[in-house]
Amino acid sequence: MKTLAQRRQSAPSLVISKALNKSRTISRESCLSPISPDSCPLVQSFLSPGRVFVMDGHVQLKTGLQTQERHLFLFNDILVIAKSKSTSHFKLKNRVRLSEMWIASCTEEVCEGSTSPERSFVLGWPTTNCVATFSSTEQKEKWLSFMMSRIKEEKEKDDPKTIPLKIFPKDIGNCVYSKTLAVSNTDSATEVIKTALQQFGISGCVKDYRLWVSSSKENAPYPLIGHEYPFSIRMSHIREPMSQSPTAGGRGATSPPDLQGALLLEQLPSEAPCHFILKSSHAATCQQLTGWHHAQRWK
């Protein structure tokens, strides 16, 4: 009698190939099947007073050369990213505040290779940039519209809406001292660079400079492309420890109202979990630093 190993070795390669293809097809179909919020444990676990489920859908998330099949669950205040296990069961991969997210069209700067721009857009949050590719142009436009609308509405609820942000110059002329700027929750990295150059008294094009982030969440400093929100990056380092505290109310909770606004501002000067560094683009390209948007995530 053949052993199990021998039976596996003697199986025709065509049979194995068909089995693998069938498995992938089933997995793909389960991702595209409609989700019933009432029968989805993951959706139910995030529902709470003041939070409602909006929509869901399958997506490919690409960063650098890595592609991940994921399922998005959009609520009125958060985006939940999960991996499909079956038609109704999902493994949680990430949960992001909509107020801390950003959207852009620079897919070629985030993902290497083909990205199907007619079906894709850049989706990001601290400290990630990825290209979200949908099954059709219609699905892409639907998600883009809903995401932009929800992000805008959540940013309008932000408290505070402006914070002091310290910028450290590096290898830029005679600039040796940092400058503190008032940055709003809708100021992009490019806009922050423009303001910083004015404060440092530097004449030149914004495109000749890059804003880098040295974060406690990353092993090395990484450059911002330009569309990201430094406000969101800074605040995420303050809010995250609070949301993970025993009194924060679990994974579906956000920071309680009394932990927002004034209290968050009080913590900004005392805690420095991330620093923003202004460098010239030429000097930055000469350094071998880990590129944030080329890093592999979601392992």
Side-chain angles (χ1 to χ4, degrees):
M1 182 177 292
K2 292 183 179 181
T3 65
L4 178 60
Q6 288 174 326
R7 288 200 299 271
R8 285 176 177 169
Q9 290 173 357
S10 62
S13 59
L14 180 60
V15 174
I16 295 176
S17 177
K18 286 183 177 180
L20 291 174
N21 288 335
K22 182 179 180 181
S23 175
R24 282 194 289 266
T25 301
I26 293 174
S27 176
R28 177 74 172 178
E29 288 176 349
S30 66
C31 288
L32 297 176
S33 300
I35 302 299
S36 172
D38 294 335
S39 61
C40 180
L42 184 64
V43 171
Q44 293 300 311
S45 70
F46 280 99
L47 292 176
S48 62
R51 175 175 295 155
V52 296
F53 175 73
V54 178
M55 60 188 287
D56 72 281
H58 175 261
V59 69
Q60 283 187 338
L61 296 183
K62 303 178 182 179
T63 301
L65 294 173
Q66 185 181 27
T67 300
Q68 300 282 0
E69 300 288 339
R70 292 291 181 258
H71 204 92
L72 302 181
F73 296 90
L74 179 63
F75 294 80
N76 61 307
D77 63 334
I78 62 172
L79 179 69
V80 173
I81 303 169
K83 182 177 181 180
S84 175
K85 294 297 185 180
S86 69
T87 55
S88 60
H89 289 82
F90 299 84
K91 180 180 179 181
L92 177 66
K93 303 301 291 186
N94 212 333
R95 163 194 173 278
V96 192
R97 291 172 176 269
L98 292 179
S99 63
E100 294 181 351
M101 297 191 70
W102 50 74
I103 288 175
S105 58
C106 53
T107 57
E108 69 285 348
E109 296 193 54
V110 176
C111 179
E112 298 178 15
S114 176
T115 57
S116 303
E118 72 281 356
R119 297 188 289 114
S120 308
F121 60 84
V122 174
L123 197 60
W125 58 89
T127 53
T128 297
N129 264 326
C130 61
V131 173
T133 301
F134 297 85
S135 59
S136 66
T137 301
E138 292 74 21
Q139 281 295 308
K140 174 241 183 170
E141 293 299 332
K142 177 182 178 181
W143 274 92
L144 182 60
S145 175
F146 270 85
M147 289 295 298
M148 291 179 67
S149 175
R150 293 308 316 158
I151 289 174
K152 180 181 178 181
E153 186 166 335
E154 287 304 303
K155 282 187 174 294
E156 290 174 352
K157 299 177 184 178
D158 249 342
D159 183 20
K161 288 184 173 63
T162 302
I163 60 171
L165 195 71
K166 186 174 289 187
I167 307 295
F168 296 87
K170 185 172 183 180
D171 302 325
I172 300 179
N174 297 321
C175 299
V176 293
Y177 299 106
S178 64
K179 295 283 186 179
T180 300
L181 314 179
V183 176
S184 78
N185 63 348
T186 58
D187 287 337
S188 68
T190 297
E191 291 168 327
V192 171
I193 291 175
K194 182 178 180 180
T195 302
L197 292 178
Q198 294 173 348
Q199 291 293 316
F200 284 116
I202 300 173
S203 59
C205 297
V206 173
K207 66 179 181 180
D208 293 331
Y209 297 87
R210 297 290 291 271
L211 193 63
W212 289 64
V213 180
S214 177
S215 168
S216 58
K217 298 180 181 180
E218 305 294 330
N219 294 326
Y222 57 86
L224 300 181
I225 297 174
H227 61 272
E228 304 91 341
Y229 297 126
F231 176 100
S232 297
I233 297 172
R234 184 72 176 92
M235 292 303 292
S236 72
H237 285 77
I238 302 299
R239 286 172 170 151
E240 189 172 281
M242 292 182 174
S243 64
Q244 294 176 348
S245 68
T247 59
R251 71 180 183 183
T254 57
S255 299
D258 59 339
L259 291 181
Q260 298 179 355
L263 182 55
L264 287 174
L265 280 176
E266 287 178 6
Q267 294 208 14
L268 285 173
S270 59
E271 297 186 9
C274 68
H275 299 282
F276 292 85
I277 306 163
L278 183 65
K279 302 180 184 180
S280 71
S281 298
H282 175 71
T285 55
C286 293
Q287 298 183 25
Q288 293 183 342
L289 293 174
T290 302
W292 166 40
H293 47 283
H294 288 159
Q296 293 188 349
R297 303 180 190 278
W298 309 295
K299 292 183 178 179

